Amino acid sequence: MTQTTSEKHVGFKVDEAAGQALSLWFNDSIEFAHGCRISVRIKDVLCHYRSRFQEIAVFETERLGRMLVLDNITMLTEFDEAAYHEMIVHVPLLTHPRPVKVLVIGGGDGGTIREVLKHPSVEEVHLCELDEEVVKACRAHIPSLACAFDDPRVKAYYEDGAKFVKERPAAYDVIIVDSTDPIGPGQVLFQRPFYADMYSALKEDGMVVTQCESIHLHREVIRGVADFAKEIYPRIGYYYTLVPTYPSGVIGFMCCSRRYDPLRDFDEKRAEVLTDLRYYTPEIHRAAFVLPRFAHGLV
């Protein structure tokens, strides 16, 4: 593969060891991870371009399958995406007794809606993604996730998620926020007004689950969200999953509910009949809410 100056811009690194061919690496450059980053050996660049909102790249990696990168930050790899997508979806959808209408904010790769559609009660899924080019790139290059966009129950909107929920009162059984980190445009999704607007966008017994960072690296972010969320929602909780290609290997979720408790009310019988799962189990559902000693008191 011919190396170009643009590769340096998106975090490529080329190593030439004695007697070995050139090898191409992607270096995740996120500054939000307290100086942590990972390097992934890649075989090919499937796409790399700038949309109106961000830089988009999809790589074929040597060991991790295909990899989506936005603004030089790893969003997912096929190797471990199930640990994230299954946990952000099945915890709330197995807690709510009959989720019919679901909103996904972000999630343009399609992995979250793929998991939502595994629940037979779901009749309608709205996806609100700011950047349509993310969806196009994933449909073209990561069909293992983006195949869900072909389902007739899915309707995609390309607009600002914070504005979207403000305009839809009492509309959804479950809202899932599959967001980027609280930097740049993603900051608003970690603030009190957005959580209040989501509360209003839920039906009277609705639930929200949001991506809410790592207990190892971002405890102040988690504590800040929990402090205002507990003033809005009758029940909140925090749980986590293990994703090796994310900084610290751990990513967590804030669960906010108008009625149901994710430990007391989740339906284990429905969980047992879900198919094509790689990570989620009822036992992991329960265990994910048990935080290590250093994280006690965050929520």
Side-chain angles (χ1 to χ4, degrees), residues 69-106:
V69 173
L70 301 179
D71 280 343
N72 206 20
I73 299 170
T74 301
M75 295 292 109
L76 64 90
T77 72
E78 289 182 304
F79 169 73
D80 57 13
E81 56 85 10
Y84 177 88
H85 291 119
E86 291 179 14
M87 291 298 284
I88 200 173
V89 170
H90 300 313
V91 169
L93 266 68
L94 289 168
T95 299
H96 193 288
R98 192 173 184 274
V100 174
K101 190 172 181 179
V102 178
L103 169 63
V104 177
I105 297 176

Side-chain angles (χ1 to χ4, degrees), residues 182-247:
I183 50 179
Q187 284 182 306
V188 67
L189 304 182
F190 290 77
Q191 295 173 358
R192 183 187 184 107
F194 177 63
Y195 275 70
D197 289 337
M198 287 195 294
Y199 181 91
S200 298
L202 291 172
K203 297 177 184 178
E204 62 179 13
D205 63 346
M207 298 183 64
V208 164
V209 166
T210 67
Q211 186 279 110
C212 203
E213 302 304 327
S214 167
I215 51 176
H216 288 290
L217 301 177
H218 312 120
R219 290 196 287 275
E220 290 307 311
V221 172
I222 298 165
R223 184 178 292 109
V225 171
D227 285 348
F228 62 69
K230 66 181 63 172
E231 296 177 356
I232 301 170
Y233 295 83
R235 291 181 173 84
I236 73 164
Y238 183 88
Y239 66 101
Y240 66 95
T241 187
L242 307 178
V243 184
T245 51
Y246 287 166

Side-chain angles (χ1 to χ4, degrees), residues 84-142:
Y84 177 88
H85 291 119
E86 291 179 14
M87 291 298 284
I88 200 173
V89 170
H90 300 313
V91 169
L93 266 68
L94 289 168
T95 299
H96 193 288
R98 192 173 184 274
V100 174
K101 190 172 181 179
V102 178
L103 169 63
V104 177
I105 297 176
D109 55 78
T112 294
I113 59 173
R114 179 196 65 196
E115 297 303 313
V116 169
L117 292 169
K118 292 178 181 179
H119 293 260
S121 65
V122 172
E123 297 176 1
E124 192 172 359
V125 185
H126 290 176
L127 179 124
C128 183
E129 165 64 56
L130 182 63
D131 193 349
E132 185 176 5
E133 290 300 320
V134 174
V135 175
K136 290 179 178 179
C138 292
R139 286 181 70 104
H141 301 292
I142 319 181

Side-chain angles (χ1 to χ4, degrees), residues 228-297:
F228 62 69
K230 66 181 63 172
E231 296 177 356
I232 301 170
Y233 295 83
R235 291 181 173 84
I236 73 164
Y238 183 88
Y239 66 101
Y240 66 95
T241 187
L242 307 178
V243 184
T245 51
Y246 287 166
S248 85
V250 173
I251 194 76
F253 312 98
M254 194 66 71
C255 182
C256 306
S257 177
R258 295 185 65 153
R259 180 179 301 176
Y260 304 112
D261 184 288
L263 292 176
R264 184 192 65 205
D265 296 319
F266 97 96
D267 190 336
E268 189 166 342
K269 289 183 179 179
R270 281 196 289 138
E272 289 172 350
V273 300
L274 288 176
T275 59
D276 300 322
L277 299 182
R278 292 167 51 199
Y279 187 91
Y280 177 92
T281 67
E283 294 79 12
I284 285 178
H285 180 128
R286 295 188 188 93
F289 287 87
V290 180
L291 302 184
R293 186 179 298 274
F294 69 79
H296 287 181

Side-chain angles (χ1 to χ4, degrees), residues 9-170:
H9 179 64
V10 297
F12 289 96
K13 180 180 179 183
V14 181
D15 291 333
E16 186 173 13
Q20 296 182 347
L22 292 178
S23 60
L24 187 62
W25 293 75
F26 166 74
N27 293 320
D28 189 314
S29 69
I30 183 169
E31 296 298 328
F32 189 60
H34 294 213
C36 301
R37 65 165 56 179
I38 64 167
S39 294
V40 177
R41 191 192 299 267
I42 63 176
K43 297 193 297 185
D44 198 5
V45 181
L46 303 179
C47 73
H48 171 214
Y49 63 100
R50 177 165 289 280
S51 72
R52 289 175 51 211
F53 301 100
Q54 59 200 332
E55 193 161 11
I56 299 171
V58 179
F59 303 139
E60 185 75 56
T61 73
E62 185 172 276
R63 301 292 298 273
L64 305 179
R66 295 190 173 185
M67 178 179 186
L68 173 66
V69 173
L70 301 179
D71 280 343
N72 206 20
I73 299 170
T74 301
M75 295 292 109
L76 64 90
T77 72
E78 289 182 304
F79 169 73
D80 57 13
E81 56 85 10
Y84 177 88
H85 291 119
E86 291 179 14
M87 291 298 284
I88 200 173
V89 170
H90 300 313
V91 169
L93 266 68
L94 289 168
T95 299
H96 193 288
R98 192 173 184 274
V100 174
K101 190 172 181 179
V102 178
L103 169 63
V104 177
I105 297 176
D109 55 78
T112 294
I113 59 173
R114 179 196 65 196
E115 297 303 313
V116 169
L117 292 169
K118 292 178 181 179
H119 293 260
S121 65
V122 172
E123 297 176 1
E124 192 172 359
V125 185
H126 290 176
L127 179 124
C128 183
E129 165 64 56
L130 182 63
D131 193 349
E132 185 176 5
E133 290 300 320
V134 174
V135 175
K136 290 179 178 179
C138 292
R139 286 181 70 104
H141 301 292
I142 319 181
S144 61
L145 284 82
C147 57
F149 286 104
D150 294 326
D151 192 290
R153 291 171 289 175
V154 175
K155 184 173 183 178
Y157 298 83
Y158 300 106
E159 55 187 273
D160 178 82
K163 182 174 181 292
F164 189 89
V165 296
K166 188 186 291 286
E167 297 172 347
R168 287 164 173 81

